[in-house]
Structure formats: structure tokens, C-alpha cells
Amino acid sequence: MLDPLSASLTVASSGLEAQSTRMRVVSENLANATSTGRSAGADPYQRKTITFDAALDRASGTQLAKVKEIGVDTTPYRVEYDPGHPAADKAGYVKMPNVNMMIEMADMREVNRSYEANLQVVKQVRSMLGMTIDLLRS
């Protein structure tokens, strides 16, 4: 088993990686919030979801945050009446993505806070390692 400081760095870095992936998924959802199908009646962009899992790191003996799966949200699409839209069906309705901007913004805020918390752990561990080295020198 690694020393506790190295294990802390390993755990925090896995959290940073997981939250980076989550931010990419949220950003993709926001960027495609109005992406409709290309032809009449075609399905629009489908919101992506992310699932995490804890994975045991045998080298450090710690639980790491890992992305388990990037899936799709199966909630129904929104429908808007816009007969002039190229993706409108015969009745004039356009399927809109199942992306809720409020949910995505809340997810983004949560990702940001989680990322910052993991970054603070990395900074604290680096500081503690520096202090330990200074103590060993004197």
C-alpha cells in the first residue's frame, strides 16, 4: 500500500478525471439543447447521462471514482409547433431535444464544486509533502 498522502493524491486525481468527463457531457448537452433532426419527423439530439462507479485501485488500496457509463436519457422529446421548420412533420410539429437547461446548469454547478474540492485536496497534499520534505532537511 502506498503512503496515505500518495493515496490521497490518487483518489483526488481520479475525482478530477471523473468530473472532467462529466463536464464534457454537460457541455455537450448544453451545446445541443436546440439541435433538431435534419429531416421531417427525424429525432433530435438525445440528452446524454453519466454514471459513476467506485473502483478498487489495488496498488494504493483505495476506492477511486470511475466513469461507469455514458448513456442517453430516455425521457420523451419536447414537441413544438413550427410548420416552417425543416424538421417539422406533416402536422407542423418539430421534435426538440430532451435537454432541460435548468438541470444542465445545476449539474454544471455541481461539477464545478466537485472539481474544485478535488483540486483543493491535491493542493493540500502537495503542501503537506513540501512541509514533510522541509522537516526532513532540517
Side-chain angles (χ1 to χ4, degrees), residues 5 9 17 19 31 44 47 61 91 105 109 124 131-132 134:
L5 292 178
L9 276 176
E17 186 177 338
Q19 293 305 325
R47 178 179 181 260
M105 294 304 289
R109 174 180 277 162
Q124 290 297 321
M131 288 188 287
T132 302
D134 289 343

Side-chain angles (χ1 to χ4, degrees), residues 124-138:
Q124 290 297 321
V125 169
R126 286 182 59 197
S127 174
M128 292 171 76
L129 286 170
M131 288 188 287
T132 302
I133 291 170
D134 289 343
L135 283 173
L136 291 172
R137 285 184 188 160
S138 52

Side-chain angles (χ1 to χ4, degrees), residues 29-34 78 99-107:
N29 287 339
L30 286 170
N32 288 293
T34 59
R78 292 178 298 125
V99 175
N100 182 326
M101 297 293 274
M102 297 306 269
I103 290 172
E104 299 305 321
M105 294 304 289
D107 281 352

Side-chain angles (χ1 to χ4, degrees), residues 31 35-36 45 48 50-51 53-54 56 70 84 102:
S35 298
T36 60
Y45 174 81
K48 291 187 178 176
I50 188 165
T51 308
D53 196 12
L56 177 66
I70 295 178
M102 297 306 269

